[in-house]
C-alpha cells in the first residue's frame, strides 16, 4: 500500500508529459491524483490550492521577478555588446577565439543577469553570424552557445539558487551565491578547453585568432564594460556584507540596469512596455511552476515519499560517494524530462535529508543539484536553452547533437569534480564565514 502513492505520482506525471500536457499542469494534476489515494476529492483540491498559494507567500521569491526584469533590461540595454567586446580582447587571440569569446561573455552575462535564456539569446544573435563569417560551422557555434549559457545559473546572482534556498528550508542565499563562483568558472574553463580542441581539429580559425592580446585594448574594453561589471560587485558585495537582502539587491539591480540602459541610449520609454511585458510573462510562467511544484512537494511529504526514498537510498549504501553518484544519475535523468525550477522544488525535499544524514553540506548539495540540472537544459526533449540556442542559430537539434556531445561531457566532468571535491564549492563561503 505504501508504494501506491509513488506509482500514482510517477505514472501520472510521465503519462501527462507524454501526451503533451504543459509541465505546470502535469505537476499539479499528478500531485492531486497522488493526494486522492488517501484524501477525499474536496479536501484534496482545497489543500492543494492552499499550499500553492501559501508557497508563493515568500519575501525571498520577490527577488525572482526583479532579477528577471533586470536581466531583460541588461539584454536590451547594450550590456551584451560591451561584455563581448571585453571578452574578445581577453581570449580572441587564442585558437577557436570566437568560441572562447562566447563562453567568457556568457559567463560574464550570467554573472550579471543570471539568466541562461537571456544569455543564449543575446550571445547567439550577436556572435552567431560573426562565427559563420569567420568559417565556424553554425552547429558548432550553437553548441558552444547552448552549453556556455547555463554557467549563468551557477554563477550568481541566480534565480534558481534562490529557489533552492526556499526548497531547502532557508539555506543562506549569500552562501549559495558565493559557492557558485568556482564551480561556474570551472565549468566555463572546461567548455573553453573542449572548444579550443574542437576548433583546432576542425580548422575553425578566423581573423579573431590572429594577433596577440594587447593590454591597451583590454584596458579600453574593460573601461567600457566596467559600468556593467560594477553591478556584479554592488549586488553580491551588498548581500555578502549584509547591507541588503537578495530581494532588495534584485530591486537595486533593476534600477541600476534601467539607468545604465538610458545612459547607453539602448533603452527608451518607447520600448519599456515591451520589456515589462516580456518580464511579466516570464515571471508568470516561473511562478506557476513554483506554485505547482510546492503543491507536489507537500503531497509527497504527506505520503511520506521523501522518507521512503531516503530509506531506499541509505539501504543501498551508507557510502556518501556511492549515494551521490546515484543521486547524480537520477538528476541527470530527471533533467532530460523536467524543467529546472520544478525539479529543484520537488527533489530537494527528497534528496536533502539523505545527503544531510551523510554529512554533506546543504550549500554544497545545492550547487551539485543546480549544475546537474543545468546539463538537462542542454538535452532534448525539454531543454529550454537547447531550443533557444537552436532557434537563434536557425538550425536543427539533430545537427547540433554531434558538436554538443563533447561539450556535454565536459560539463559532466566538471559536475563530478565539484561533487567529490567539496572544497571547490565551500572555499568562498567558509572564507566569509557563511
Amino acid at each position: 500500500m505504501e508504494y501506491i502513492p509513488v506509482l500514482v505520482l510517477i505514472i501520472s506525471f510521465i503519462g501527462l508529459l507524454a501526451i503533451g500536457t504543459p509541465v505546470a499542469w502535469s505537476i499539479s494534476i499528478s500531485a492531486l491524483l497522488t493526494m486522492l489515494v488517501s484524501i477525499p476529492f474536496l479536501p484534496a483540491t482545497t489543500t492543494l490550492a492552499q499550499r500553492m498559494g501559501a508557497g508563493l507567500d515568500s519575501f525571498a521569491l520577490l527577488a525572482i521577478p526583479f532579477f528577471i526584469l533586470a536581466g531583460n533590461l541588461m539584454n536590451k540595454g547594450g550590456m551584451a555588446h560591451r561584455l563581448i567586446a571585453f571578452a574578445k580582447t581577453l581570449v580572441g587571440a587564442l585558437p577557436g577565439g570566437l568560441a572562447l569569446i562566447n563562453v567568457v561573455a556568457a559567463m560574464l552575462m550570467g554573472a550579471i543577469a543570471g539568466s541562461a535564456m537571456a544569455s543564449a539569446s543575446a550571445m547567439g544573435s550577436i556572435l552567431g553570424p560573426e562565427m559563420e563569417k569567420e568559417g565556424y560551422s553554425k552547429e558548432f557555434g550553437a553548441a558552444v552557445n547552448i552549453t556556455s549559457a547555463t554557467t549563468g545559473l551557477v554563477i550568481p546572482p541566480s534565480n534558481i539558487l534562490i529557489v533552492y534556498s526556499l526548497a531547502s528550508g532557508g539555506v543562506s542565499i549569500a552562501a549559495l551565491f558565493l559557492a557558485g563562483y568556482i564551480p561556474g568558472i570551472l565549468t566555463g574553463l572546461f567548455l573553453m578547453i573542449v572548444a579550443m580542441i574542437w576548433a583546432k581539429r576542425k580548422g575553425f580559425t578566423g581573423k579573431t585568432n590572429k594577433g596577440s592580446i594587447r593590454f591597451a585594448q583590454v584596458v579600453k574594453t574593460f573601461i567600457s564594460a566596467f559600468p556593467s561589471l560594477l553591478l556584479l560587485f554592488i549586488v553580491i558585495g551588498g548581500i555578502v556584507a549584509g547591507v541588503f537582502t537578495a530581494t532588495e539587491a534584485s530591486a537595486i539591480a533593476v534600477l541600476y540596469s534601467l539607468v545604465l540602459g538610458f545612459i547607453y541610449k539602448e533603452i527608451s520609454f518607447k520600448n519599456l512596455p515591451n520589456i515589462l511585458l516580456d518580464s511579466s510573462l516570464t515571471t508568470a510562467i516561473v511562478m506557476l511552476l513554483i506554485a505547482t511544484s510546492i503543491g507536489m512537494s507537500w503531497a509527497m511529504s504527506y505520503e511520506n515519499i521523501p522518507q521512503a526514498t531516503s530509506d531506499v537510498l541509505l539501504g543501498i549504501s551508507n557510502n556518501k560517494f556511492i549515494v551521490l553518484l546515484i543521486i547524480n544519475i537520477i538528476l541527470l535523468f530527471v533533467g532530460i524530462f523536467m524543467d529546472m525550477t520544478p525539479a529543484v522544488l520537488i527533489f530537494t525535499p527528497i534528496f536533502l535529508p539523505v545527503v544531510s544524514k551523510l554529512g554533506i553540506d546543504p550549500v554544497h548539495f545545492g550547487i551539485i543539484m543546480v549544475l546537474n540540472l543545468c546539463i538537462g537544459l542542454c538535452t532534448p526533449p525539454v531543454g529550454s536553452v537547447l531550443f533557444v540556442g537552436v532557434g537563434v542559430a536557425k538550425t536543427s537539434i539533430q545537427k547540433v547533437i554531434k558538436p554538443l556531445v563533447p561539450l556535454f561531457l565536459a560539463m559532466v566532468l566538471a559536475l563530478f569534480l565539484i561533487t567529490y571535491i567539496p572544497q571547490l564549492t565551500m572555499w568562498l563561503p567558509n572564507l566569509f564565514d557563511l
Side-chain angles (χ1 to χ4, degrees):
M1 186 72 180
E2 63 184 38
Y3 292 106
I4 292 177
V6 179
L7 291 173
V8 170
L9 181 71
I10 294 171
I11 293 170
S12 61
F13 182 65
I14 293 175
L16 287 164
L17 285 178
I19 62 174
T21 308
V23 175
W25 286 104
S26 299
I27 293 169
S28 56
I29 294 170
S30 57
L32 178 60
L33 292 173
T34 304
M35 292 171 69
L36 289 175
V37 172
S38 53
I39 304 175
F41 180 78
L42 187 58
T45 52
T46 305
T47 302
L48 183 62
Q50 287 174 340
R51 294 295 168 178
M52 288 171 61
L56 294 179
D57 186 15
S58 168
F59 180 72
L61 281 181
L62 280 173
I64 293 177
F66 280 125
F67 275 131
I68 288 171
L69 176 56
N72 279 339
L73 288 169
M74 293 169 198
N75 202 14
K76 306 287 185 183
M79 292 187 183
H81 291 279
R82 288 162 177 81
L83 294 175
I84 288 171
F86 178 48
K88 275 185 179 181
T89 61
L90 291 177
V91 296
L94 299 173
L98 277 174
L100 305 188
I101 290 164
N102 195 321
V103 178
V104 174
M107 290 166 67
L108 292 172
M109 186 76 176
I112 295 171
S115 170
M117 305 276 278
S119 178
S121 176
M123 299 305 147
S125 58
I126 297 169
L127 283 173
E130 196 170 336
M131 291 181 79
E132 281 189 74
K133 284 179 187 176
E134 294 203 11
Y136 293 80
S137 75
K138 184 185 293 186
E139 291 71 31
F140 173 70
V144 171
N145 183 36
I146 290 161
T147 49
S148 61
T150 61
T151 58
L153 298 173
V154 185
I155 300 172
S158 167
N159 285 337
I160 198 64
L161 290 177
I162 296 171
V163 172
Y164 173 78
S165 173
L166 174 73
S168 62
V171 172
S172 167
I173 294 175
L176 287 167
F177 277 8
L178 283 178
Y181 276 112
I182 294 176
I185 293 169
L186 182 67
T187 304
L189 288 174
F190 278 25
L191 292 174
M192 289 172 71
I193 291 167
V194 171
M196 284 176 68
I197 294 169
W198 185 275
K200 287 191 77 173
R201 285 185 60 191
K202 298 293 181 180
F204 296 149
T205 55
K207 301 169 190 173
T208 315
N209 292 334
K210 297 178 181 179
S212 58
I213 299 172
R214 297 178 181 176
F215 180 73
Q217 193 66 19
V218 172
V219 172
K220 182 180 177 182
T221 54
F222 172 75
I223 291 170
S224 177
F226 179 74
S228 304
L229 295 171
L230 183 62
L231 178 61
L232 172 65
F233 295 99
I234 293 172
V235 171
I236 305 302
I239 294 171
V240 172
V243 177
F244 38 70
T245 65
T247 303
E248 291 162 347
S250 65
I252 291 168
V254 169
L255 183 60
Y256 186 91
S257 304
L258 182 62
V259 171
L260 202 58
F262 279 113
I263 291 172
Y264 285 157
K265 296 182 179 178
E266 300 274 354
I267 293 177
S268 65
F269 287 106
K270 186 178 179 181
N271 54 24
L272 264 182
N274 285 333
I275 294 172
L276 292 170
L277 180 60
D278 288 344
S279 302
S280 300
L281 289 171
T282 305
T283 299
I285 293 167
V286 171
M287 289 303 183
L288 180 60
L289 282 169
I290 290 173
T292 54
S293 300
I294 288 171
M296 179 182 273
S297 295
W298 187 89
M300 290 191 301
S301 297
Y302 182 82
E303 299 293 348
N304 292 318
I305 293 174
Q307 184 59 46
T309 307
S310 177
D311 293 342
V312 169
L313 284 173
L314 294 175
I316 294 172
S317 175
N318 283 323
N319 186 313
K320 68 179 179 180
F321 296 105
I322 294 173
V323 173
L324 281 172
L325 175 63
I326 294 169
I327 290 174
N328 272 332
I329 292 170
I330 292 171
L331 288 175
L332 284 170
F333 181 75
V334 165
I336 295 172
F337 299 101
M338 189 180 289
D339 196 60
M340 191 176 234
T341 299
V344 168
L345 286 163
I346 292 166
F347 287 93
T348 298
I350 293 175
F351 292 136
L352 188 57
V354 179
V355 298
S356 296
K357 286 180 182 177
L358 297 173
I360 296 164
D361 194 288
V363 173
H364 180 211
F365 181 67
I367 300 301
I368 293 172
M369 175 173 266
V370 169
L371 182 56
N372 210 313
L373 295 170
C374 280
I375 297 171
L377 296 177
C378 307
T379 57
V382 185
S384 53
V385 178
L386 172 67
F387 288 111
V388 170
V390 166
V392 171
K394 297 178 182 175
T395 183
S396 67
I397 292 173
Q398 291 82 358
K399 291 178 180 178
V400 170
I401 291 297
K402 187 177 179 180
L404 191 63
V405 168
L407 294 162
F408 180 87
L409 293 175
M411 294 181 74
V412 173
L413 177 58
L415 168 65
F416 279 96
L417 280 176
I418 288 153
T419 299
Y420 294 117
I421 308 175
Q423 292 82 359
L424 292 173
T425 302
M426 298 307 300
W427 180 69
L428 279 175
N430 290 338
L431 185 65
F432 288 89
D433 292 323
L434 292 174

